[in-house]
Amino acid sequence: MDEFAEAILLDVARQHGTPSFVYFAEPIRQRVIDLQRKFGQHFKISFAVKSNPNRELLRLLNKTGVELDVSSFGEVMRGLDAGFKAEEIGFSGPAKRQFEIQNAVEEGIGTFICESLEEVEELNHVCSVRGCTQDYLLRINPIQIPKLFGLHMGGRPSQFGIDEEQLANIKPALDRLKSVSLKGFHIFSGGNSLYHEAIIENVVNSAKLFQEFSKRFDLRPTKLIFGSGFGIPYFEGDEPLSLAVLAQAMNPIIESMKSDSRFANTCFVLEMGRYLVGSFGYMLTSVVGTKHSRGTDICLCDAGFNNNLSAAGMMGTVMRRDWRFWNLSKPDATAESDYMLVGPLCASFDILGARVTLPETSKGDVLALASSGAYGLTASPTRFISHPEPQEFLVDQAAGKAIVEDVTESYKHYPPMGNQKPSIG
């Protein structure tokens, strides 16, 4: 962590308290710019709102030219409120309720990503009643997925997508639906990989399936969405991805596809979430007490898994590992010790770090947890045991000075969901 970030984080903690989440705007912009420079001639970039739905972050991303992937009508409304056009939003996710489909159609959503034949039929019914036609993509659940992904979402029984081996069989049923129009396919096999070969293999596999099923469906797709799988460093020793290495391998795949007239006018999309924002957010927590128990020094913190489920190893982690922490109160200390960092919850598994090496840490010190810009606050059970919800801050720069904006949201700030009762028989 650089001195600028350390100073800002400590200042936020002193002025506003903890727990808090702090996001840095400029490196997020730069991350998008880097992606566009390396992939922009071949791919559009899409941001998965579920990774961080804060509306000020969405407004920031709206100015960079990315599209949105949403997984609920609530996220549709957040995207629209942040300035995105309806046609820039793709609606994915299982178990879309009828009111969500109906409201999204009424808003003019650009693309529905359908996860089953039944969902396409429901979308067709809604559109038939309204007398309109809706574009959609089919999500494919591939048989083969690369190893070395931190998160697997394909290759097994899944609520996500239509099994690859079943997809061709539903074409006759799809052809009978007259109020929807198939425009392409979507694959998200897995995420959070730091292995170039795994990410490239994933793109190769997806491209082959897109080519196969475009031919089987006699389709000239207008859009094909690749789940990127790009990961970020979480642990000591993790090396960040090289965009140059990935672009060198991935861009020729798209060039080869475009040489086929079937894909000449196709928009290819790289969907990602944590890669855009995850590395540029920190969670701040204060040590409210210390104790020694059976040979272990323990720091009692005011943030726990209720604020950062991922850091506590509860979001699909096979083997728990400690994330990176800094003691902001003692940046120049040289003596170090190992600490167990626990949260405030009455739960034995409320452990943020099992063995974290820090400068000598005591009551009142402020700790910063890295890689907390994605799947942090809103992916955590913040209401468990009724502790106060963390605040959120966005740090930007103007004329060489830092501008810290309070962007805290709570349930009362969420946009209205619209009509939640089915109105179509």
Side-chain angles (χ1 to χ4, degrees):
M1 184 190 302
D2 60 39
E3 292 182 1
F4 171 79
E6 283 189 6
I8 293 295
L9 293 172
L10 187 56
D11 188 58
V12 168
R14 287 171 174 168
Q15 289 197 40
H16 303 283
T18 58
S20 297
F21 283 81
V22 182
Y23 315 118
F24 287 84
E26 187 53 34
I28 292 173
R29 290 192 196 96
Q30 190 60 51
R31 174 59 50 95
V32 177
I33 290 171
D34 291 342
L35 284 163
Q36 290 169 338
R37 285 174 177 167
K38 292 293 191 299
F39 298 100
Q41 292 184 335
H42 301 85
F43 292 95
K44 286 277 291 184
I45 307 299
S46 175
F47 176 67
V49 175
K50 61 181 174 289
S51 62
N52 193 325
N54 185 282
R55 273 178 291 186
E56 292 307 318
L57 275 186
L58 296 182
R59 289 189 178 101
L60 168 67
L61 289 168
N62 181 42
K63 297 175 182 178
T64 68
V66 303
E67 297 183 345
L68 289 187
D69 174 83
V70 304
S71 298
S72 72
F73 186 69
E75 289 189 346
V76 170
M77 296 302 292
R78 298 178 79 77
L80 294 174
D81 189 53
F84 284 88
K85 298 176 182 178
E87 56 265 30
E88 297 173 324
I89 300 175
F91 192 177
S92 66
K96 298 182 187 74
R97 291 161 287 182
Q98 188 187 75
F99 82 87
E100 293 186 287
I101 294 174
Q102 180 179 341
N103 289 342
V105 169
E106 290 175 356
E107 292 291 344
I109 290 303
T111 307
F112 275 79
I113 294 93
C114 292
E115 313 269 353
S116 67
L117 172 60
E118 187 177 86
E119 186 179 306
V120 182
E121 292 172 335
E122 182 68 32
L123 176 62
N124 182 75
H125 174 62
V126 168
C127 293
S128 177
V129 172
R130 286 186 54 80
C132 64
T133 301
Q134 176 65 52
D135 294 344
Y136 74 99
L137 308 184
L138 285 176
R139 180 168 178 174
I140 303 171
N141 177 22
I143 296 171
Q144 180 182 357
I145 59 173
K147 299 178 180 178
L148 304 176
F149 270 40
L151 175 68
H152 289 163
M153 297 180 71
R156 58 189 178 189
S158 175
Q159 68 269 48
F160 302 111
I162 300 170
D163 294 347
E164 171 190 339
E165 61 272 27
Q166 296 180 3
L167 188 57
N169 298 332
I170 70 170
K171 185 179 185 301
L174 295 174
D175 289 342
R176 291 193 291 268
L177 305 177
K178 303 305 180 184
S179 296
V180 290
S181 180
L182 177 63
K183 295 298 184 180
F185 301 98
H186 171 288
I187 295 176
F188 197 110
S189 300
N192 194 31
S193 178
L194 289 176
Y195 296 91
H196 300 93
E197 62 270 29
I199 293 172
I200 295 165
E201 180 187 349
N202 182 51
V203 173
V204 169
N205 292 346
S206 296
K208 288 180 179 178
L209 289 175
F210 289 152
Q211 290 170 306
E212 175 187 347
F213 285 106
S214 293
K215 291 177 181 178
R216 286 197 181 194
F217 280 68
D218 193 22
L219 184 69
R220 293 179 178 271
T222 60
K223 181 174 285 189
L224 296 171
I225 301 178
F226 293 75
S228 72
F230 288 21
I232 63 172
Y234 284 100
F235 313 112
E236 292 293 341
D238 280 354
E239 292 293 331
L241 291 168
S242 165
L243 293 184
V245 170
L246 292 171
Q248 186 176 20
M250 291 167 55
N251 287 339
I253 296 171
I254 303 305
E255 291 171 2
S256 175
M257 291 183 70
K258 280 188 171 291
S259 67
D260 181 341
S261 61
R262 186 182 297 275
F263 303 103
N265 298 311
T266 302
C267 175
F268 297 88
V269 179
L270 273 181
E271 180 191 322
M272 54 186 65
R274 79 184 76 224
Y275 190 73
L276 296 188
V277 299
S279 295
F280 312 119
Y282 298 83
M283 185 181 78
L284 302 179
T285 182
S286 295
V287 179
V288 300
T290 62
K291 63 181 294 185
H292 187 83
S293 175
R294 294 177 177 162
T296 299
D297 290 319
I298 301 174
C299 292
L300 311 168
C301 302
D302 62 1
F305 79 77
N306 58 322
N307 301 150
N308 202 323
L309 197 73
S310 299
M314 299 181 191
M315 202 169 176
T317 302
V318 176
M319 182 178 67
R320 194 202 186 292
R321 295 170 64 192
D322 294 331
W323 290 20
R324 295 165 297 164
F325 284 82
W326 287 268
N327 186 331
L328 300 176
S329 301
K330 296 172 180 172
D332 300 321
T334 55
E336 294 183 333
S337 298
D338 290 336
Y339 297 93
M340 177 185 288
L341 307 179
V342 304
L345 306 176
C346 190
S348 60
F349 46 84
D350 185 19
I351 300 173
L352 289 175
R355 188 175 179 178
V356 178
T357 302
L358 291 170
E360 185 177 346
T361 300
S362 54
K363 182 177 180 178
D365 287 356
V366 176
L367 308 181
L369 173 58
S371 305
S372 296
Y375 300 106
L377 177 58
T378 59
S380 304
T382 57
R383 301 177 77 178
F384 183 53
I385 309 193
S386 300
H387 286 281
E389 290 192 358
Q391 301 172 89
E392 293 177 280
F393 299 91
L394 181 64
V395 180
D396 211 339
Q397 298 179 57
K401 294 184 179 180
I403 301 172
V404 179
E405 180 183 2
D406 187 338
V407 296
T408 304
E409 295 189 342
S410 66
Y411 290 103
K412 67 182 180 181
H413 295 121
Y414 276 42
M417 286 284 286
N419 178 22
Q420 298 191 34
K421 295 181 181 180
S423 59
I424 295 178

